[in-house]
Amino acid sequence: MGEHRNPRLVVDLPVWAELVGHELHQGVAETPEGPWWFSVRKTVPTSAGTVFSLGERTPVGHRLWAYTNFDCNLACMYCCAESSPKADARRLTPEVAREAFGEFATLGGSEVFLTGGEPFMHPELGELVAAAEGLHRTILTNAMIFGRGRRRELLESLDRDVVPQVSLDSSTATLHDQQRGKGSWSRAIEGIGQARTLGFQVRVAATMFDEDPAGVDALHRRFDQEGIAMESRVIRPVAAEGFADSGVHVSIDNLEPEPTITADGAWWHPVAVTNPHTRIQDTPTPVAELLDVVRDTLAVQDAAARSGREVFRCA
Ligand code: SF4
């Protein structure tokens, strides 16, 4: 139940409720000019309901992304997070991570992807990983800085079911180094080897401006050489976000949602955390509200697609 003063709501709210399948009980207006009182009974998505019946889409609530920090030892030319050695770290604290991951687990969540920035630059990465214990955990890394010292000790201390996902953009150093910095390719290869030697199941992810088949074939041959299983390979295009001045243009309308938290907010997708249009809330928790907004937005998009209508958002 809520009090509303915007007269557009009298028109928009019933349309929205019908699209997402919620029950709207329109209350009384105190005067013809409002305020109006509405109550909405929300539908709960189930495996038989709208949210889970959409084919290959990862069910909302299955996976949560978390930016551990925004600083990085690299400053890749396409970095969607605008990370660099000079970026404000915006570190996720272990307290917030425990609250968010605990809530996510209670809601039935399965896996957490820890990304950055370079997560191994976070001095409390170990605590963040521990905060997600019980969930499948993946850490996205450039694999360049965990070879020695306390970061090596941290890597060694991690449970072996934690998956390091390493960026490797090309089969040889030339393109990767052009995009990510001189010497980064050979250090990534070295890092993949270090993690595998320690017994981790490493995933690799390539970000490519132009997915030419020759480049992709060569990349797969390289991954074969490194002993990376086929199901542990991700090849994706550059998104025109952050530092990227070209690439695929993304928005809430064409991005499959991947709910994402940062120290200071929550977002539709990790690739668009510099885009104010994909910001969902100003705090990382409650996770339940983040997931509700994502589900409702998807329901509107799906209902509009079924009815052949374009979704127009006026607010
Ligand atoms: S793409 Fe990854 S490695 Fe490169 S600057 Fe961004 S966070 Fe760092």
Side-chain angles (χ1 to χ4, degrees), residues 190-230:
E190 205 183 323
I192 291 171
Q194 288 163 345
R196 294 194 72 227
T197 304
L198 287 172
F200 289 98
Q201 180 80 43
V202 176
R203 294 180 81 208
V204 285
T207 307
M208 304 177 82
F209 272 102
D210 184 8
E211 289 185 61
D212 75 293
V216 172
D217 286 351
L219 198 51
H220 277 299
R221 283 196 295 277
R222 183 79 220 185
F223 292 158
D224 289 342
Q225 245 175 292
E226 296 302 321
I228 305 293
M230 191 58 84

Short mmCIF file of all heavy atoms in Angstrom, two decimals, residues 190-230:
data_model
loop_
_atom_site.label_atom_id
_atom_site.label_comp_id
_atom_site.label_asym_id
_atom_site.label_seq_id
_atom_site.Cartn_x
_atom_site.Cartn_y
_atom_site.Cartn_z
N GLU A 190 51.09 -16.99 -17.60
CA GLU A 190 51.81 -17.46 -16.42
C GLU A 190 50.84 -17.68 -15.25
O GLU A 190 50.90 -18.69 -14.54
CB GLU A 190 52.84 -16.38 -16.04
CG GLU A 190 54.04 -16.86 -15.26
CD GLU A 190 54.92 -15.66 -14.88
OE1 GLU A 190 55.04 -14.72 -15.72
OE2 GLU A 190 55.44 -15.64 -13.77
N GLY A 191 49.94 -16.72 -15.06
CA GLY A 191 48.98 -16.80 -13.96
C GLY A 191 48.03 -17.99 -14.11
O GLY A 191 47.70 -18.66 -13.12
N ILE A 192 47.60 -18.24 -15.35
CA ILE A 192 46.74 -19.41 -15.59
C ILE A 192 47.49 -20.67 -15.15
O ILE A 192 46.94 -21.54 -14.45
CB ILE A 192 46.35 -19.50 -17.09
CG1 ILE A 192 45.39 -18.37 -17.45
CG2 ILE A 192 45.74 -20.87 -17.40
CD1 ILE A 192 45.11 -18.23 -18.95
N GLY A 193 48.76 -20.75 -15.53
CA GLY A 193 49.58 -21.91 -15.16
C GLY A 193 49.72 -22.03 -13.64
O GLY A 193 49.58 -23.12 -13.08
N GLN A 194 49.95 -20.90 -12.96
CA GLN A 194 50.10 -20.94 -11.49
C GLN A 194 48.83 -21.46 -10.83
O GLN A 194 48.89 -22.32 -9.94
CB GLN A 194 50.42 -19.53 -10.97
CG GLN A 194 51.82 -19.07 -11.30
CD GLN A 194 51.97 -17.55 -11.15
OE1 GLN A 194 50.99 -16.82 -11.07
NE2 GLN A 194 53.22 -17.09 -11.13
N ALA A 195 47.70 -20.94 -11.27
CA ALA A 195 46.44 -21.35 -10.64
C ALA A 195 46.15 -22.82 -10.92
O ALA A 195 45.70 -23.56 -10.03
CB ALA A 195 45.30 -20.47 -11.14
N ARG A 196 46.41 -23.25 -12.15
CA ARG A 196 46.15 -24.66 -12.49
C ARG A 196 47.07 -25.59 -11.70
O ARG A 196 46.66 -26.64 -11.22
CB ARG A 196 46.31 -24.88 -13.99
CG ARG A 196 45.23 -24.14 -14.80
CD ARG A 196 45.18 -24.62 -16.22
NE ARG A 196 44.60 -25.94 -16.32
CZ ARG A 196 45.10 -26.94 -17.02
NH1 ARG A 196 46.21 -26.77 -17.71
NH2 ARG A 196 44.50 -28.11 -17.04
N THR A 197 48.34 -25.16 -11.54
CA THR A 197 49.29 -25.98 -10.77
C THR A 197 48.82 -26.14 -9.33
O THR A 197 49.04 -27.18 -8.70
CB THR A 197 50.70 -25.33 -10.81
OG1 THR A 197 51.06 -25.17 -12.18
CG2 THR A 197 51.73 -26.16 -10.09
N LEU A 198 48.16 -25.10 -8.82
CA LEU A 198 47.65 -25.19 -7.44
C LEU A 198 46.36 -26.02 -7.34
O LEU A 198 45.82 -26.20 -6.26
CB LEU A 198 47.39 -23.78 -6.88
CG LEU A 198 48.63 -22.97 -6.52
CD1 LEU A 198 48.25 -21.53 -6.17
CD2 LEU A 198 49.37 -23.61 -5.34
N GLY A 199 45.85 -26.45 -8.48
CA GLY A 199 44.68 -27.33 -8.45
C GLY A 199 43.36 -26.63 -8.71
O GLY A 199 42.29 -27.22 -8.49
N PHE A 200 43.41 -25.37 -9.19
CA PHE A 200 42.15 -24.67 -9.50
C PHE A 200 41.68 -25.05 -10.91
O PHE A 200 42.49 -25.24 -11.82
CB PHE A 200 42.34 -23.15 -9.44
CG PHE A 200 42.53 -22.64 -8.04
CD1 PHE A 200 43.80 -22.38 -7.54
CD2 PHE A 200 41.43 -22.43 -7.21
CE1 PHE A 200 43.99 -21.93 -6.25
CE2 PHE A 200 41.61 -21.98 -5.91
CZ PHE A 200 42.89 -21.72 -5.44
N GLN A 201 40.37 -25.10 -11.04
CA GLN A 201 39.74 -25.30 -12.35
C GLN A 201 39.59 -23.90 -12.97
O GLN A 201 38.66 -23.18 -12.63
CB GLN A 201 38.37 -25.95 -12.14
CG GLN A 201 37.56 -26.23 -13.37
CD GLN A 201 38.03 -27.51 -14.05
OE1 GLN A 201 38.29 -28.50 -13.36
NE2 GLN A 201 38.17 -27.48 -15.36
N VAL A 202 40.52 -23.53 -13.84
CA VAL A 202 40.53 -22.16 -14.35
C VAL A 202 39.56 -22.02 -15.53
O VAL A 202 39.49 -22.88 -16.39
CB VAL A 202 41.96 -21.77 -14.82
CG1 VAL A 202 41.98 -20.38 -15.45
CG2 VAL A 202 42.92 -21.84 -13.64
N ARG A 203 38.81 -20.89 -15.51
CA ARG A 203 38.02 -20.53 -16.70
C ARG A 203 38.77 -19.40 -17.41
O ARG A 203 39.50 -18.64 -16.77
CB ARG A 203 36.64 -20.01 -16.32
CG ARG A 203 35.75 -21.04 -15.67
CD ARG A 203 34.41 -20.42 -15.33
NE ARG A 203 33.53 -20.38 -16.48
CZ ARG A 203 32.57 -19.48 -16.65
NH1 ARG A 203 32.39 -18.51 -15.77
NH2 ARG A 203 31.80 -19.52 -17.71
N VAL A 204 38.56 -19.27 -18.70
CA VAL A 204 39.16 -18.15 -19.42
C VAL A 204 38.05 -17.37 -20.13
O VAL A 204 37.04 -17.94 -20.54
CB VAL A 204 40.20 -18.61 -20.46
CG1 VAL A 204 41.49 -19.05 -19.79
CG2 VAL A 204 39.65 -19.71 -21.34
N ALA A 205 38.26 -16.08 -20.25
CA ALA A 205 37.27 -15.23 -20.92
C ALA A 205 37.99 -14.28 -21.85
O ALA A 205 38.94 -13.60 -21.45
CB ALA A 205 36.46 -14.45 -19.89
N ALA A 206 37.56 -14.28 -23.11
CA ALA A 206 38.15 -13.39 -24.10
C ALA A 206 37.14 -12.30 -24.46
O ALA A 206 35.95 -12.58 -24.63
CB ALA A 206 38.52 -14.17 -25.35
N THR A 207 37.62 -11.07 -24.54
CA THR A 207 36.78 -9.96 -24.97
C THR A 207 37.33 -9.48 -26.31
O THR A 207 38.50 -9.12 -26.39
CB THR A 207 36.82 -8.82 -23.93
OG1 THR A 207 36.48 -9.37 -22.65
CG2 THR A 207 35.83 -7.73 -24.28
N MET A 208 36.50 -9.52 -27.34
CA MET A 208 37.01 -9.23 -28.68
C MET A 208 36.17 -8.14 -29.36
O MET A 208 34.94 -8.19 -29.32
CB MET A 208 36.99 -10.50 -29.53
CG MET A 208 37.79 -11.63 -28.88
SD MET A 208 37.71 -13.16 -29.83
CE MET A 208 38.95 -12.87 -31.07
N PHE A 209 36.86 -7.21 -29.98
CA PHE A 209 36.16 -6.17 -30.74
C PHE A 209 35.50 -6.76 -31.97
O PHE A 209 34.41 -6.43 -32.33
CB PHE A 209 37.13 -5.07 -31.18
CG PHE A 209 37.28 -4.00 -30.13
CD1 PHE A 209 38.40 -3.97 -29.32
CD2 PHE A 209 36.31 -3.04 -29.95
CE1 PHE A 209 38.54 -2.99 -28.35
CE2 PHE A 209 36.43 -2.07 -28.98
CZ PHE A 209 37.56 -2.04 -28.18
N ASP A 210 36.25 -7.64 -32.64
CA ASP A 210 35.79 -8.17 -33.90
C ASP A 210 35.96 -9.68 -33.85
O ASP A 210 37.07 -10.18 -33.88
CB ASP A 210 36.63 -7.57 -35.03
CG ASP A 210 36.13 -8.02 -36.38
OD1 ASP A 210 35.06 -8.64 -36.42
OD2 ASP A 210 36.81 -7.74 -37.38
N GLU A 211 34.82 -10.37 -33.73
CA GLU A 211 34.94 -11.82 -33.57
C GLU A 211 35.19 -12.48 -34.91
O GLU A 211 34.34 -13.18 -35.44
CB GLU A 211 33.68 -12.37 -32.92
CG GLU A 211 33.56 -11.99 -31.47
CD GLU A 211 32.37 -12.65 -30.82
OE1 GLU A 211 32.32 -13.88 -30.78
OE2 GLU A 211 31.49 -11.91 -30.37
N ASP A 212 36.38 -12.25 -35.52
CA ASP A 212 36.64 -12.90 -36.80
C ASP A 212 36.93 -14.38 -36.53
O ASP A 212 37.62 -14.72 -35.57
CB ASP A 212 37.79 -12.22 -37.55
CG ASP A 212 39.12 -12.55 -36.94
OD1 ASP A 212 39.34 -12.12 -35.79
OD2 ASP A 212 39.91 -13.23 -37.60
N PRO A 213 36.35 -15.28 -37.37
CA PRO A 213 36.45 -16.72 -37.10
C PRO A 213 37.89 -17.19 -36.95
O PRO A 213 38.19 -18.05 -36.13
CB PRO A 213 35.79 -17.36 -38.33
CG PRO A 213 34.96 -16.28 -38.93
CD PRO A 213 35.60 -14.97 -38.58
N ALA A 214 38.82 -16.60 -37.73
CA ALA A 214 40.22 -17.04 -37.65
C ALA A 214 40.76 -16.76 -36.25
O ALA A 214 41.44 -17.60 -35.64
CB ALA A 214 41.06 -16.31 -38.70
N GLY A 215 40.43 -15.57 -35.73
CA GLY A 215 40.89 -15.21 -34.39
C GLY A 215 40.31 -16.12 -33.33
O GLY A 215 40.99 -16.55 -32.41
N VAL A 216 39.02 -16.45 -33.49
CA VAL A 216 38.36 -17.31 -32.51
C VAL A 216 38.93 -18.72 -32.58
O VAL A 216 39.22 -19.35 -31.55
CB VAL A 216 36.83 -17.32 -32.75
CG1 VAL A 216 36.15 -18.36 -31.85
CG2 VAL A 216 36.24 -15.95 -32.47
N ASP A 217 39.18 -19.23 -33.81
CA ASP A 217 39.76 -20.58 -33.95
C ASP A 217 41.13 -20.63 -33.29
O ASP A 217 41.46 -21.58 -32.58
CB ASP A 217 39.91 -20.94 -35.44
CG ASP A 217 38.56 -21.26 -36.06
OD1 ASP A 217 37.58 -21.35 -35.29
OD2 ASP A 217 38.48 -21.38 -37.29
N ALA A 218 41.93 -19.60 -33.56
CA ALA A 218 43.29 -19.58 -32.99
C ALA A 218 43.22 -19.52 -31.46
O ALA A 218 44.02 -20.17 -30.77
CB ALA A 218 44.05 -18.37 -33.54
N LEU A 219 42.25 -18.78 -30.97
CA LEU A 219 42.09 -18.67 -29.52
C LEU A 219 41.74 -20.04 -28.93
O LEU A 219 42.31 -20.46 -27.91
CB LEU A 219 40.97 -17.66 -29.24
CG LEU A 219 40.86 -17.05 -27.86
CD1 LEU A 219 42.18 -16.47 -27.37
CD2 LEU A 219 39.79 -15.97 -27.87
N HIS A 220 40.84 -20.76 -29.59
CA HIS A 220 40.48 -22.09 -29.08
C HIS A 220 41.69 -23.03 -29.10
O HIS A 220 41.87 -23.82 -28.17
CB HIS A 220 39.33 -22.68 -29.90
CG HIS A 220 37.97 -22.19 -29.44
ND1 HIS A 220 37.49 -22.42 -28.17
CD2 HIS A 220 37.02 -21.47 -30.08
CE1 HIS A 220 36.29 -21.87 -28.05
NE2 HIS A 220 35.99 -21.27 -29.19
N ARG A 221 42.51 -22.91 -30.14
CA ARG A 221 43.71 -23.77 -30.18
C ARG A 221 44.61 -23.43 -29.00
O ARG A 221 45.20 -24.29 -28.37
CB ARG A 221 44.45 -23.61 -31.51
CG ARG A 221 43.77 -24.35 -32.67
CD ARG A 221 44.68 -24.52 -33.86
NE ARG A 221 45.03 -23.23 -34.48
CZ ARG A 221 44.24 -22.61 -35.36
NH1 ARG A 221 43.10 -23.14 -35.74
NH2 ARG A 221 44.61 -21.43 -35.87
N ARG A 222 44.70 -22.13 -28.70
CA ARG A 222 45.53 -21.71 -27.56
C ARG A 222 44.96 -22.26 -26.25
O ARG A 222 45.68 -22.75 -25.39
CB ARG A 222 45.57 -20.17 -27.51
CG ARG A 222 46.45 -19.62 -26.44
CD ARG A 222 47.90 -19.68 -26.86
NE ARG A 222 48.73 -20.07 -25.75
CZ ARG A 222 50.05 -20.11 -25.80
NH1 ARG A 222 50.68 -19.80 -26.92
NH2 ARG A 222 50.76 -20.46 -24.76
N PHE A 223 43.64 -22.17 -26.12
CA PHE A 223 42.99 -22.69 -24.91
C PHE A 223 43.22 -24.21 -24.79
O PHE A 223 43.45 -24.73 -23.70
CB PHE A 223 41.49 -22.39 -24.91
CG PHE A 223 41.13 -20.92 -24.78
CD1 PHE A 223 39.90 -20.44 -25.21
CD2 PHE A 223 42.04 -20.02 -24.22
CE1 PHE A 223 39.57 -19.09 -25.08
CE2 PHE A 223 41.71 -18.67 -24.10
CZ PHE A 223 40.48 -18.20 -24.53
N ASP A 224 43.18 -24.91 -25.95
CA ASP A 224 43.49 -26.35 -25.93
C ASP A 224 44.87 -26.56 -25.36
O ASP A 224 45.08 -27.42 -24.50
CB ASP A 224 43.46 -26.93 -27.36
CG ASP A 224 42.05 -26.99 -27.93
OD1 ASP A 224 41.08 -26.93 -27.14
OD2 ASP A 224 41.91 -27.10 -29.17
N GLN A 225 45.82 -25.76 -25.85
CA GLN A 225 47.21 -25.88 -25.41
C GLN A 225 47.35 -25.67 -23.90
O GLN A 225 48.16 -26.31 -23.24
CB GLN A 225 48.03 -24.77 -26.08
CG GLN A 225 49.09 -25.25 -27.05
CD GLN A 225 49.71 -24.03 -27.70
OE1 GLN A 225 49.05 -23.33 -28.46
NE2 GLN A 225 50.96 -23.76 -27.38
N GLU A 226 46.53 -24.73 -23.38
CA GLU A 226 46.61 -24.43 -21.94
C GLU A 226 45.82 -25.45 -21.11
O GLU A 226 45.80 -25.37 -19.88
CB GLU A 226 46.04 -23.02 -21.65
CG GLU A 226 46.82 -21.88 -22.27
CD GLU A 226 48.28 -21.84 -21.83
OE1 GLU A 226 48.55 -22.12 -20.65
OE2 GLU A 226 49.15 -21.58 -22.68
N GLY A 227 45.16 -26.38 -21.79
CA GLY A 227 44.40 -27.41 -21.07
C GLY A 227 43.09 -26.89 -20.49
O GLY A 227 42.60 -27.41 -19.48
N ILE A 228 42.52 -25.86 -21.12
CA ILE A 228 41.26 -25.30 -20.63
C ILE A 228 40.08 -26.05 -21.25
O ILE A 228 39.97 -26.11 -22.48
CB ILE A 228 41.16 -23.79 -20.98
CG1 ILE A 228 42.38 -23.02 -20.49
CG2 ILE A 228 39.86 -23.20 -20.46
CD1 ILE A 228 42.52 -22.91 -19.00
N ALA A 229 39.23 -26.59 -20.42
CA ALA A 229 38.07 -27.36 -20.92
C ALA A 229 37.15 -26.45 -21.73
O ALA A 229 37.03 -25.25 -21.46
CB ALA A 229 37.31 -27.95 -19.74
N MET A 230 36.49 -27.05 -22.72
CA MET A 230 35.61 -26.28 -23.61
C MET A 230 34.53 -25.52 -22.82
O MET A 230 34.22 -24.37 -23.12
CB MET A 230 34.96 -27.24 -24.62
CG MET A 230 34.23 -26.57 -25.75
SD MET A 230 35.28 -25.45 -26.73
CE MET A 230 36.03 -26.60 -27.86
#
